C-alpha cells in the first residue's frame, strides 16, 4: 500500500494504478461502516484509493473540529487490511495552500436539514470532495447511507458539474441495538450511548408503520419525534420525511423517500435515516 502525502506524489502513484479505480473519501477514525465502503470498493474495482483528511472547512464549530478523533496509524492499518492500494493523507497546506479562496455552493439541496443546523457545512463538503475527485480521478466513489443528505449533495454536484464519476451508496452499518456506526459515537458516555438508540428506535417505528400502510408524512415523522422526545438525554433537532433524491417536502408518502432525523446527545450531534424505495442503495454493500 502506497501512502501519498502531497499532490505530486499522489499524481505519480495514481498514474500507475491499473483498471477501474474506486475512491473512498474519509476523515479517519475508521469503523465498520468505513470498512464496508472499502470492502465494496475492493470487490468492484481493479484499484482502490482511500483518502484520509479531516476537513476543517466542513466544521462550523472549531471545537468540534478539534475534538474529532484522530489515529492515523490505526487508520492506515485498517486501510491496508481492507486491501487499499493507495492512500492520500495530505497535510492541510496541501489541500488549502495560502491564498486558497474558492468554495462550491451546493445550492438548495443543502439549505435545509443538516444545512440549516450546520451553516456552511455542505459548502465545505462539496469543495473538498470536488478537490479529492479531481486529484484521485476515480471511476466510482463510495459513500455511506447514514450521511444521506451528503450523498445527495455530492450526486447533485457530480451531475451539475458533469464529473465523470459514479457515486455508490452503501447501506448504513449498525450496532446490534440499531445505533448507526459513527466516529462521533466514541465521545458518548455509556448513558448517552444508550440514549442515542432513540434515533433508530424512532426510525424503526416509522418504518414499521410504513410497512403497515401508513402513508402520511406527518404521521411518520411524528412517530420519530415522539420516540426521541421521550428520551431525557436527547434533544431533537429535526425529524422529516422528504423526497429521497431532491430532499424536498412531500405531501403524500410515495417512494423514493427518506425519513431523516438528527438529535443532540450531550452536545454531540448524531444523524440517521431510513430510505424507502428500490435501487437507491447498493444492495451488495453490507
Amino acid at each position: 500500500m502506497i501512502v501519498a502525502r502531497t499532490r505530486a506524489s499522489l499524481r505519480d502513484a495514481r498514474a500507475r494504478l491499473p483498471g477501474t479505480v474506486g475512491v473512498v473519501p474519509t476523515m479517519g477514525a475508521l469503523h465498520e461502516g468505513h470498512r464496508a465502503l472499502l470492502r465494496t470498493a475492493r470487490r468492484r474495482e481493479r484499484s482502490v484509493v482511500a483518502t484520509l483528511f479531516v476537513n476543517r472547512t466542513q466544521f462550523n464549530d472549531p471545537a468540534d473540529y478539534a475534538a474529532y478523533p484522530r489515529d492515523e496509524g490505526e487508520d492506515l492499518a485498517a486501510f491496508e487490511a481492507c486491501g487499499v492500494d493507495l492512500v492520500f493523507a495530505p497535510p492541510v497546506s496541501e489541500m488549502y495552500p495560502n491564498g486558497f479562496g474558492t468554495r462550491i455552493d451546493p445550492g438548495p439541496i443543502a439549505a435545509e436539514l443538516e444545512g440549516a443546523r450546520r451553516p456552511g457545512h455542505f459548502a465545505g463538503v462539496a469543495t473538498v470532495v470536488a478537490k479529492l475527485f479531481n486529484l484521485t480521478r476515480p471511476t466510482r466513489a463510495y459513500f455511506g447511507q447514514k450521511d444521506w443528505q451528503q450523498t445527495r449533495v455530492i450526486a447533485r454536484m457530480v451531475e451539475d458539474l458533469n464529473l465523470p464519476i459514479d457515486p455508490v451508496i452503501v447501506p448504513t452499518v449498525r450496532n446490534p441495538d440499531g445505533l448507526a456506526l459513527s466516529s462521533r459515537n466514541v465521545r458518548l458516555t455509556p448513558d448517552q450511548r444508550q440514549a442515542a438508540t432513540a434515533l433508530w428506535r424512532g426510525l424503526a417505528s416509522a418504518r414499521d408503520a410504513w410497512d403497515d400502510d401508513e402513508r402520511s408524512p406527518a404521521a411518520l415523522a411524528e412517530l420519530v419525534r415522539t420516540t426521541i422526545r421521550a428520551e431525557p438525554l436527547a434533544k431533537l433537532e429535526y425529524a422529516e420525511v422528504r423526497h429521497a433524491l431532491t430532499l424536498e417536502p412531500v405531501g403524500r408518502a410515495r417512494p423514493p423517500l427518506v425519513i431523516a432525523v438528527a438529535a443532540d446527545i450531550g452536545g454531540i450531534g448524531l444523524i440517521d435515516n431510513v430510505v424507502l424505495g428500490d435501487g437507491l442503495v447498493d444492495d451488495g454493500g453490507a
Side-chain angles (χ1 to χ4, degrees):
M1 183 179 76
I2 298 170
V3 179
R5 303 286 183 180
T6 67
R7 288 169 290 172
S9 61
L10 172 65
R11 181 174 59 249
D12 292 343
R14 170 62 181 86
R16 297 193 295 271
L17 292 179
T20 63
V21 174
V23 66
V24 180
T26 84
M27 295 202 300
L30 302 186
H31 50 66
E32 191 58 28
H34 296 104
R35 292 183 181 91
L37 301 178
L38 295 165
R39 287 194 295 264
T40 303
R42 183 71 280 166
R43 286 196 302 269
R44 294 186 58 173
E45 312 298 349
R46 179 67 178 84
S47 301
V48 176
V49 177
T51 67
L52 175 57
F53 181 68
V54 183
N55 179 42
R56 66 184 182 188
T57 68
Q58 68 190 68
F59 290 84
N60 58 319
D61 181 354
D64 198 19
Y65 171 71
Y68 193 86
R70 296 164 171 86
D71 189 333
E72 184 181 274
E74 188 171 309
D75 292 334
L76 292 178
F79 286 140
E80 189 157 27
C82 290
V84 172
D85 299 295
L86 171 61
V87 177
F88 182 45
V92 172
S93 59
E94 277 294 307
M95 293 299 289
Y96 299 112
N98 288 337
F100 183 88
T102 300
R103 286 168 68 87
I104 291 178
D105 179 358
I109 201 165
E112 299 185 6
L113 303 174
E114 284 301 286
R117 194 167 74 98
R118 303 170 65 185
H121 169 68
F122 286 119
V125 168
T127 300
V128 76
V129 169
K131 287 172 67 67
L132 292 171
F133 283 173
N134 286 333
L135 290 165
T136 61
R137 295 180 287 113
T139 311
R140 281 173 283 271
Y142 293 80
F143 298 93
Q145 176 192 336
K146 182 181 72 68
D147 298 295
W148 185 257
Q149 188 173 9
Q150 173 178 282
T151 73
R152 303 324 310 159
V153 167
I154 291 167
R156 181 79 265 166
M157 177 185 73
V158 165
E159 183 174 349
D160 287 353
L161 300 183
N162 308 118
L163 302 180
I165 298 160
D166 291 327
V168 178
I169 314 305
V170 176
T172 300
V173 178
R174 301 183 180 278
N175 285 292
D177 59 10
L179 180 64
L181 297 190
S182 170
S183 301
R184 297 172 181 267
N185 291 354
V186 299
R187 296 165 54 192
L188 298 169
T189 67
D191 287 345
Q192 292 167 349
R193 167 68 180 70
Q194 178 58 37
T197 64
L199 277 73
W200 174 244
R201 288 187 277 114
L203 288 169
S205 67
R207 182 196 58 190
D208 291 345
W210 169 267
D211 291 341
D212 289 335
D213 293 327
E214 176 60 71
R215 293 297 183 265
S216 164
L220 293 170
E222 189 58 30
L223 286 168
V224 184
R225 295 176 188 136
T226 298
T227 303
I228 295 174
R229 286 170 177 155
E231 172 50 61
L233 297 182
K235 176 187 175 184
L236 177 69
E237 298 286 351
Y238 61 77
E240 299 282 343
V241 179
R242 298 292 181 98
H243 189 283
L245 302 183
T246 67
L247 301 184
E248 295 175 349
V250 293
R252 180 165 175 78
R254 296 187 182 91
L257 295 171
V258 62
I259 308 174
V261 62
D264 183 289
I265 310 283
I268 299 165
L270 300 177
I271 60 173
D272 203 349
N273 64 76
V274 166
V275 176
L276 304 173
D278 296 330
L280 300 176
V281 178
D282 186 88
D283 290 338

